[in-house]
Amino acid sequence: MTKLNATITAVGGYVPEHILSNKMLETMVDTNEEWIISRTGIKERRILKGKGLGSSFLAINAAKDLIDKKNIDPKTIDLVIIATATPDMQGASTASYTATQIGATNAFAFDMDAACSSFLFGMSVAARYIESGAYKKVLLIGADKNSSMIDYTDRTTCIIFGDGAGAVLFEPNNEGLGMQDELLKTDGTGRDFLRVKSGGSCHPTDENAIKNKEQFIKQDGKTVFKNAVFNMADVSTKLLKRNNLKKEEVNWLAAHQANQRIIDATAKRIELTSDQVMVNIEKYGNTTSATIPLLLYDYESKLKKGDNIIFAAFGGGFSWGSIYFKWSYNNN
Ligand code: UT7
């Protein structure tokens, strides 16, 4: 029996209307546009405004974009997975609500969180459901309302993060296209370097936590930076080698968008040139689980059937990995 491959057959995206520019940030914290652009590559990011709106709002809009573009009947979707580090709430998944709101009433749904690697790990999970033959249509959405965990008086984090969502549909492919190989990793000794301390089961948010601003994300930027470059390059290089893929045969590197300098340094270590690298960090900043699907959303028109894509991500936990993927459709 030939192996069933899992591939992406549709892409959707959504970012909120409100733009937070570097100039605006200059009025909020002690920073300047030149520093932000030269140290991160970010020009602006999107922020979700509106009381009571969470990551599901972003996810629903990205999913609707995909459904409308490809004219998909949402009732044919078997499973909805939401990759997110900022779920709507505890105890009720963002995915259940999203699936119902988009009319995927025959699907089951769940959330998964591996911080900034959530979407990459989600690709692995979505693919397994398809490859097993159990399901035919798996909708994977990366959605994060990062502004919900940002201290807008902390210049080391508020300049980086933005809100957004991207969605992809996984379906079977019998031409050998789609997921080819993956190398996914975690190292729990990294968790103190990037995290929101309170609000989880270890440290429920109390008055003391709020006094110490522990409900906001904090990171040791330099440690995260070094680990991100080393580890993304390491797993990507190993994947290329074990698949006998030469660097000139890679059409695209689709790496998590956390910092332009991290993306450049990773590409350099894998010996790729800038025309092989997808980048949109200047428009959205770091949208956590949405960076990779938003890259696909922005680059979809340039992708060709058979293109070799190396996906890579690094995030809190620490968590990281790389996926080798063959794109399966032309978009015109
Ligand atoms: O998705 C995974 C999550 N996160 C990441 O991957 C982030 C990884 N880390 C980074 O992207 C970078 O480390 C940052 C962008 C967070 C910081 O850049 P950096 O080049 O590592 O800066 P730094 O922390 O070494 O700070 C250099 C200087 C310091 O001043 P002194 O001590 O040299 O006087 C900082 O206080 O820049 C200062 N600084 C700023 N200046 C203006 C830090 N943030 C700012 C700012 N504006 N926003």
Side-chain angles (χ1 to χ4, degrees), residues 110-139:
F110 60 86
D111 296 351
M112 49 173 289
D113 178 10
C116 289
S117 304
S118 300
F119 188 83
L120 192 88
F121 288 14
M123 289 176 70
S124 170
V125 173
R128 295 300 94 78
Y129 276 107
I130 297 288
E131 288 161 2
S132 72
Y135 303 109
K136 298 267 182 297
K137 280 187 169 49
V138 177
L139 183 65

PDB file of all heavy atoms in Angstrom, residues 110-139:
ATOM      1  N   PHE A 110      -9.708  20.968  19.185  1.00  0.00           N
ATOM      2  CA  PHE A 110      -8.933  21.164  20.417  1.00  0.00           C
ATOM      3  C   PHE A 110      -7.813  22.166  20.191  1.00  0.00           C
ATOM      4  O   PHE A 110      -7.426  22.440  19.052  1.00  0.00           O
ATOM      5  CB  PHE A 110      -8.369  19.831  20.947  1.00  0.00           C
ATOM      6  CG  PHE A 110      -7.445  19.096  20.003  1.00  0.00           C
ATOM      7  CD1 PHE A 110      -6.088  19.392  19.952  1.00  0.00           C
ATOM      8  CD2 PHE A 110      -7.937  18.088  19.178  1.00  0.00           C
ATOM      9  CE1 PHE A 110      -5.243  18.699  19.093  1.00  0.00           C
ATOM     10  CE2 PHE A 110      -7.089  17.395  18.310  1.00  0.00           C
ATOM     11  CZ  PHE A 110      -5.734  17.708  18.270  1.00  0.00           C
ATOM     12  N   ASP A 111      -7.301  22.705  21.306  1.00  0.00           N
ATOM     13  CA  ASP A 111      -6.179  23.655  21.263  1.00  0.00           C
ATOM     14  C   ASP A 111      -4.888  22.903  21.522  1.00  0.00           C
ATOM     15  O   ASP A 111      -4.878  21.879  22.217  1.00  0.00           O
ATOM     16  CB  ASP A 111      -6.286  24.698  22.390  1.00  0.00           C
ATOM     17  CG  ASP A 111      -7.498  25.594  22.261  1.00  0.00           C
ATOM     18  OD1 ASP A 111      -8.182  25.534  21.219  1.00  0.00           O
ATOM     19  OD2 ASP A 111      -7.755  26.351  23.220  1.00  0.00           O
ATOM     20  N   MET A 112      -3.777  23.445  21.032  1.00  0.00           N
ATOM     21  CA  MET A 112      -2.475  22.947  21.450  1.00  0.00           C
ATOM     22  C   MET A 112      -1.479  24.095  21.588  1.00  0.00           C
ATOM     23  O   MET A 112      -1.527  25.064  20.844  1.00  0.00           O
ATOM     24  CB  MET A 112      -1.938  21.849  20.540  1.00  0.00           C
ATOM     25  CG  MET A 112      -1.984  22.127  19.069  1.00  0.00           C
ATOM     26  SD  MET A 112      -1.114  20.819  18.192  1.00  0.00           S
ATOM     27  CE  MET A 112       0.572  21.173  18.651  1.00  0.00           C
ATOM     28  N   ASP A 113      -0.603  23.963  22.592  1.00  0.00           N
ATOM     29  CA  ASP A 113       0.314  25.062  22.925  1.00  0.00           C
ATOM     30  C   ASP A 113       1.742  24.556  23.057  1.00  0.00           C
ATOM     31  O   ASP A 113       2.027  23.706  23.898  1.00  0.00           O
ATOM     32  CB  ASP A 113      -0.134  25.702  24.252  1.00  0.00           C
ATOM     33  CG  ASP A 113       0.796  26.823  24.700  1.00  0.00           C
ATOM     34  OD1 ASP A 113       1.672  27.238  23.920  1.00  0.00           O
ATOM     35  OD2 ASP A 113       0.628  27.290  25.847  1.00  0.00           O
ATOM     36  N   ALA A 114       2.616  25.075  22.217  1.00  0.00           N
ATOM     37  CA  ALA A 114       4.058  24.872  22.379  1.00  0.00           C
ATOM     38  C   ALA A 114       4.725  26.235  22.150  1.00  0.00           C
ATOM     39  O   ALA A 114       5.712  26.345  21.425  1.00  0.00           O
ATOM     40  CB  ALA A 114       4.582  23.830  21.403  1.00  0.00           C
ATOM     41  N   ALA A 115       4.097  27.271  22.741  1.00  0.00           N
ATOM     42  CA  ALA A 115       4.576  28.658  22.604  1.00  0.00           C
ATOM     43  C   ALA A 115       4.785  28.977  21.112  1.00  0.00           C
ATOM     44  O   ALA A 115       3.923  28.639  20.304  1.00  0.00           O
ATOM     45  CB  ALA A 115       5.829  28.860  23.441  1.00  0.00           C
ATOM     46  N   CYS A 116       5.927  29.567  20.772  1.00  0.00           N
ATOM     47  CA  CYS A 116       6.114  29.998  19.373  1.00  0.00           C
ATOM     48  C   CYS A 116       6.285  28.832  18.403  1.00  0.00           C
ATOM     49  O   CYS A 116       6.302  29.025  17.197  1.00  0.00           O
ATOM     50  CB  CYS A 116       7.298  30.959  19.258  1.00  0.00           C
ATOM     51  SG  CYS A 116       6.940  32.560  19.987  1.00  0.00           S
ATOM     52  N   SER A 117       6.421  27.605  18.921  1.00  0.00           N
ATOM     53  CA  SER A 117       6.493  26.431  18.042  1.00  0.00           C
ATOM     54  C   SER A 117       5.123  25.779  17.865  1.00  0.00           C
ATOM     55  O   SER A 117       5.023  24.709  17.247  1.00  0.00           O
ATOM     56  CB  SER A 117       7.469  25.394  18.618  1.00  0.00           C
ATOM     57  OG  SER A 117       8.740  25.958  18.827  1.00  0.00           O
ATOM     58  N   SER A 118       4.082  26.374  18.415  1.00  0.00           N
ATOM     59  CA  SER A 118       2.749  25.743  18.390  1.00  0.00           C
ATOM     60  C   SER A 118       2.308  25.363  16.982  1.00  0.00           C
ATOM     61  O   SER A 118       1.805  24.258  16.748  1.00  0.00           O
ATOM     62  CB  SER A 118       1.696  26.671  19.002  1.00  0.00           C
ATOM     63  OG  SER A 118       1.996  26.968  20.335  1.00  0.00           O
ATOM     64  N   PHE A 119       2.469  26.282  16.035  1.00  0.00           N
ATOM     65  CA  PHE A 119       1.972  25.984  14.681  1.00  0.00           C
ATOM     66  C   PHE A 119       2.797  24.879  14.032  1.00  0.00           C
ATOM     67  O   PHE A 119       2.249  23.978  13.391  1.00  0.00           O
ATOM     68  CB  PHE A 119       1.964  27.240  13.799  1.00  0.00           C
ATOM     69  CG  PHE A 119       1.282  27.012  12.487  1.00  0.00           C
ATOM     70  CD1 PHE A 119      -0.094  27.103  12.379  1.00  0.00           C
ATOM     71  CD2 PHE A 119       2.010  26.660  11.354  1.00  0.00           C
ATOM     72  CE1 PHE A 119      -0.747  26.841  11.169  1.00  0.00           C
ATOM     73  CE2 PHE A 119       1.377  26.398  10.139  1.00  0.00           C
ATOM     74  CZ  PHE A 119      -0.004  26.499  10.045  1.00  0.00           C
ATOM     75  N   LEU A 120       4.124  24.943  14.209  1.00  0.00           N
ATOM     76  CA  LEU A 120       4.999  23.920  13.623  1.00  0.00           C
ATOM     77  C   LEU A 120       4.642  22.535  14.174  1.00  0.00           C
ATOM     78  O   LEU A 120       4.480  21.572  13.420  1.00  0.00           O
ATOM     79  CB  LEU A 120       6.463  24.245  13.917  1.00  0.00           C
ATOM     80  CG  LEU A 120       7.451  23.422  13.118  1.00  0.00           C
ATOM     81  CD1 LEU A 120       7.761  24.078  11.781  1.00  0.00           C
ATOM     82  CD2 LEU A 120       8.741  23.200  13.889  1.00  0.00           C
ATOM     83  N   PHE A 121       4.498  22.440  15.494  1.00  0.00           N
ATOM     84  CA  PHE A 121       4.120  21.162  16.100  1.00  0.00           C
ATOM     85  C   PHE A 121       2.700  20.768  15.648  1.00  0.00           C
ATOM     86  O   PHE A 121       2.387  19.593  15.472  1.00  0.00           O
ATOM     87  CB  PHE A 121       4.185  21.238  17.637  1.00  0.00           C
ATOM     88  CG  PHE A 121       5.592  21.296  18.213  1.00  0.00           C
ATOM     89  CD1 PHE A 121       6.696  21.567  17.414  1.00  0.00           C
ATOM     90  CD2 PHE A 121       5.813  21.084  19.569  1.00  0.00           C
ATOM     91  CE1 PHE A 121       7.991  21.623  17.952  1.00  0.00           C
ATOM     92  CE2 PHE A 121       7.099  21.129  20.117  1.00  0.00           C
ATOM     93  CZ  PHE A 121       8.186  21.398  19.309  1.00  0.00           C
ATOM     94  N   GLY A 122       1.855  21.773  15.455  1.00  0.00           N
ATOM     95  CA  GLY A 122       0.483  21.531  14.969  1.00  0.00           C
ATOM     96  C   GLY A 122       0.481  20.917  13.570  1.00  0.00           C
ATOM     97  O   GLY A 122      -0.374  20.084  13.253  1.00  0.00           O
ATOM     98  N   MET A 123       1.440  21.321  12.742  1.00  0.00           N
ATOM     99  CA  MET A 123       1.546  20.726  11.399  1.00  0.00           C
ATOM    100  C   MET A 123       1.811  19.231  11.514  1.00  0.00           C
ATOM    101  O   MET A 123       1.262  18.425  10.755  1.00  0.00           O
ATOM    102  CB  MET A 123       2.692  21.396  10.610  1.00  0.00           C
ATOM    103  CG  MET A 123       2.403  22.812  10.189  1.00  0.00           C
ATOM    104  SD  MET A 123       3.830  23.596   9.366  1.00  0.00           S
ATOM    105  CE  MET A 123       3.879  22.705   7.818  1.00  0.00           C
ATOM    106  N   SER A 124       2.661  18.876  12.472  1.00  0.00           N
ATOM    107  CA  SER A 124       2.986  17.468  12.688  1.00  0.00           C
ATOM    108  C   SER A 124       1.734  16.696  13.119  1.00  0.00           C
ATOM    109  O   SER A 124       1.445  15.611  12.603  1.00  0.00           O
ATOM    110  CB  SER A 124       4.083  17.377  13.759  1.00  0.00           C
ATOM    111  OG  SER A 124       4.265  16.066  14.169  1.00  0.00           O
ATOM    112  N   VAL A 125       0.987  17.271  14.043  1.00  0.00           N
ATOM    113  CA  VAL A 125      -0.226  16.607  14.550  1.00  0.00           C
ATOM    114  C   VAL A 125      -1.284  16.486  13.440  1.00  0.00           C
ATOM    115  O   VAL A 125      -1.851  15.407  13.217  1.00  0.00           O
ATOM    116  CB  VAL A 125      -0.797  17.392  15.761  1.00  0.00           C
ATOM    117  CG1 VAL A 125      -2.137  16.819  16.201  1.00  0.00           C
ATOM    118  CG2 VAL A 125       0.195  17.382  16.921  1.00  0.00           C
ATOM    119  N   ALA A 126      -1.516  17.589  12.728  1.00  0.00           N
ATOM    120  CA  ALA A 126      -2.525  17.584  11.652  1.00  0.00           C
ATOM    121  C   ALA A 126      -2.162  16.520  10.608  1.00  0.00           C
ATOM    122  O   ALA A 126      -3.029  15.771  10.139  1.00  0.00           O
ATOM    123  CB  ALA A 126      -2.598  18.966  11.011  1.00  0.00           C
ATOM    124  N   ALA A 127      -0.873  16.456  10.273  1.00  0.00           N
ATOM    125  CA  ALA A 127      -0.426  15.506   9.243  1.00  0.00           C
ATOM    126  C   ALA A 127      -0.683  14.062   9.664  1.00  0.00           C
ATOM    127  O   ALA A 127      -1.121  13.237   8.857  1.00  0.00           O
ATOM    128  CB  ALA A 127       1.056  15.720   8.947  1.00  0.00           C
ATOM    129  N   ARG A 128      -0.424  13.763  10.947  1.00  0.00           N
ATOM    130  CA  ARG A 128      -0.616  12.386  11.410  1.00  0.00           C
ATOM    131  C   ARG A 128      -2.080  11.953  11.271  1.00  0.00           C
ATOM    132  O   ARG A 128      -2.372  10.816  10.915  1.00  0.00           O
ATOM    133  CB  ARG A 128      -0.183  12.224  12.883  1.00  0.00           C
ATOM    134  CG  ARG A 128       1.268  12.419  13.223  1.00  0.00           C
ATOM    135  CD  ARG A 128       2.211  11.481  12.511  1.00  0.00           C
ATOM    136  NE  ARG A 128       2.734  12.086  11.305  1.00  0.00           N
ATOM    137  CZ  ARG A 128       3.720  12.999  11.261  1.00  0.00           C
ATOM    138  NH1 ARG A 128       4.309  13.396  12.349  1.00  0.00           N
ATOM    139  NH2 ARG A 128       4.122  13.494  10.103  1.00  0.00           N
ATOM    140  N   TYR A 129      -3.016  12.853  11.582  1.00  0.00           N
ATOM    141  CA  TYR A 129      -4.442  12.515  11.455  1.00  0.00           C
ATOM    142  C   TYR A 129      -4.807  12.195  10.006  1.00  0.00           C
ATOM    143  O   TYR A 129      -5.639  11.329   9.736  1.00  0.00           O
ATOM    144  CB  TYR A 129      -5.318  13.676  11.960  1.00  0.00           C
ATOM    145  CG  TYR A 129      -5.543  13.676  13.452  1.00  0.00           C
ATOM    146  CD1 TYR A 129      -4.922  14.609  14.270  1.00  0.00           C
ATOM    147  CD2 TYR A 129      -6.400  12.750  14.046  1.00  0.00           C
ATOM    148  CE1 TYR A 129      -5.134  14.617  15.642  1.00  0.00           C
ATOM    149  CE2 TYR A 129      -6.623  12.749  15.411  1.00  0.00           C
ATOM    150  CZ  TYR A 129      -5.991  13.684  16.203  1.00  0.00           C
ATOM    151  OH  TYR A 129      -6.209  13.682  17.554  1.00  0.00           O
ATOM    152  N   ILE A 130      -4.194  12.928   9.066  1.00  0.00           N
ATOM    153  CA  ILE A 130      -4.469  12.679   7.640  1.00  0.00           C
ATOM    154  C   ILE A 130      -3.790  11.388   7.183  1.00  0.00           C
ATOM    155  O   ILE A 130      -4.406  10.537   6.539  1.00  0.00           O
ATOM    156  CB  ILE A 130      -3.951  13.867   6.778  1.00  0.00           C
ATOM    157  CG1 ILE A 130      -4.699  15.173   7.128  1.00  0.00           C
ATOM    158  CG2 ILE A 130      -4.047  13.546   5.281  1.00  0.00           C
ATOM    159  CD1 ILE A 130      -6.123  15.239   6.666  1.00  0.00           C
ATOM    160  N   GLU A 131      -2.495  11.236   7.530  1.00  0.00           N
ATOM    161  CA  GLU A 131      -1.718  10.070   7.069  1.00  0.00           C
ATOM    162  C   GLU A 131      -2.310   8.757   7.590  1.00  0.00           C
ATOM    163  O   GLU A 131      -2.192   7.721   6.949  1.00  0.00           O
ATOM    164  CB  GLU A 131      -0.262  10.196   7.542  1.00  0.00           C
ATOM    165  CG  GLU A 131       0.524  11.270   6.816  1.00  0.00           C
ATOM    166  CD  GLU A 131       1.775  11.691   7.574  1.00  0.00           C
ATOM    167  OE1 GLU A 131       2.063  11.128   8.651  1.00  0.00           O
ATOM    168  OE2 GLU A 131       2.461  12.616   7.106  1.00  0.00           O
ATOM    169  N   SER A 132      -2.953   8.806   8.761  1.00  0.00           N
ATOM    170  CA  SER A 132      -3.555   7.584   9.320  1.00  0.00           C
ATOM    171  C   SER A 132      -4.782   7.146   8.525  1.00  0.00           C
ATOM    172  O   SER A 132      -5.258   6.027   8.675  1.00  0.00           O
ATOM    173  CB  SER A 132      -3.979   7.844  10.774  1.00  0.00           C
ATOM    174  OG  SER A 132      -5.122   8.691  10.790  1.00  0.00           O
ATOM    175  N   GLY A 133      -5.305   8.065   7.716  1.00  0.00           N
ATOM    176  CA  GLY A 133      -6.502   7.757   6.941  1.00  0.00           C
ATOM    177  C   GLY A 133      -7.786   8.004   7.724  1.00  0.00           C
ATOM    178  O   GLY A 133      -8.888   7.843   7.206  1.00  0.00           O
ATOM    179  N   ALA A 134      -7.654   8.423   8.981  1.00  0.00           N
ATOM    180  CA  ALA A 134      -8.837   8.606   9.833  1.00  0.00           C
ATOM    181  C   ALA A 134      -9.682   9.812   9.404  1.00  0.00           C
ATOM    182  O   ALA A 134     -10.915   9.775   9.510  1.00  0.00           O
ATOM    183  CB  ALA A 134      -8.407   8.771  11.291  1.00  0.00           C
ATOM    184  N   TYR A 135      -9.015  10.872   8.938  1.00  0.00           N
ATOM    185  CA  TYR A 135      -9.746  12.095   8.581  1.00  0.00           C
ATOM    186  C   TYR A 135      -9.246  12.659   7.259  1.00  0.00           C
ATOM    187  O   TYR A 135      -8.087  12.481   6.893  1.00  0.00           O
ATOM    188  CB  TYR A 135      -9.595  13.138   9.704  1.00  0.00           C
ATOM    189  CG  TYR A 135     -10.083  12.604  11.039  1.00  0.00           C
ATOM    190  CD1 TYR A 135      -9.177  12.296  12.054  1.00  0.00           C
ATOM    191  CD2 TYR A 135     -11.434  12.356  11.249  1.00  0.00           C
ATOM    192  CE1 TYR A 135      -9.615  11.761  13.260  1.00  0.00           C
ATOM    193  CE2 TYR A 135     -11.877  11.816  12.443  1.00  0.00           C
ATOM    194  CZ  TYR A 135     -10.970  11.522  13.451  1.00  0.00           C
ATOM    195  OH  TYR A 135     -11.397  10.979  14.623  1.00  0.00           O
ATOM    196  N   LYS A 136     -10.141  13.395   6.578  1.00  0.00           N
ATOM    197  CA  LYS A 136      -9.815  13.905   5.235  1.00  0.00           C
ATOM    198  C   LYS A 136      -9.544  15.406   5.221  1.00  0.00           C
ATOM    199  O   LYS A 136      -8.864  15.910   4.332  1.00  0.00           O
ATOM    200  CB  LYS A 136     -11.001  13.632   4.284  1.00  0.00           C
ATOM    201  CG  LYS A 136     -11.323  12.161   4.085  1.00  0.00           C
ATOM    202  CD  LYS A 136     -10.595  11.622   2.868  1.00  0.00           C
ATOM    203  CE  LYS A 136     -10.888  10.173   2.577  1.00  0.00           C
ATOM    204  NZ  LYS A 136     -10.466   9.247   3.627  1.00  0.00           N
ATOM    205  N   LYS A 137     -10.129  16.140   6.146  1.00  0.00           N
ATOM    206  CA  LYS A 137      -9.944  17.601   6.164  1.00  0.00           C
ATOM    207  C   LYS A 137      -9.658  18.061   7.588  1.00  0.00           C
ATOM    208  O   LYS A 137     -10.536  18.015   8.452  1.00  0.00           O
ATOM    209  CB  LYS A 137     -11.206  18.311   5.652  1.00  0.00           C
ATOM    210  CG  LYS A 137     -11.346  18.352   4.134  1.00  0.00           C
ATOM    211  CD  LYS A 137     -12.541  19.229   3.771  1.00  0.00           C
ATOM    212  CE  LYS A 137     -12.618  19.546   2.294  1.00  0.00           C
ATOM    213  NZ  LYS A 137     -12.492  18.446   1.376  1.00  0.00           N
ATOM    214  N   VAL A 138      -8.416  18.513   7.787  1.00  0.00           N
ATOM    215  CA  VAL A 138      -8.026  19.020   9.108  1.00  0.00           C
ATOM    216  C   VAL A 138      -7.658  20.499   8.961  1.00  0.00           C
ATOM    217  O   VAL A 138      -6.762  20.853   8.188  1.00  0.00           O
ATOM    218  CB  VAL A 138      -6.827  18.233   9.685  1.00  0.00           C
ATOM    219  CG1 VAL A 138      -6.390  18.823  11.017  1.00  0.00           C
ATOM    220  CG2 VAL A 138      -7.186  16.755   9.854  1.00  0.00           C
ATOM    221  N   LEU A 139      -8.371  21.345   9.688  1.00  0.00           N
ATOM    222  CA  LEU A 139      -8.102  22.785   9.637  1.00  0.00           C
ATOM    223  C   LEU A 139      -7.190  23.140  10.809  1.00  0.00           C
ATOM    224  O   LEU A 139      -7.553  22.948  11.967  1.00  0.00           O
ATOM    225  CB  LEU A 139      -9.431  23.554   9.747  1.00  0.00           C
ATOM    226  CG  LEU A 139      -9.349  25.074   9.637  1.00  0.00           C
ATOM    227  CD1 LEU A 139      -8.877  25.514   8.253  1.00  0.00           C
ATOM    228  CD2 LEU A 139     -10.722  25.708   9.925  1.00  0.00           C
TER     229      LEU A 139
END
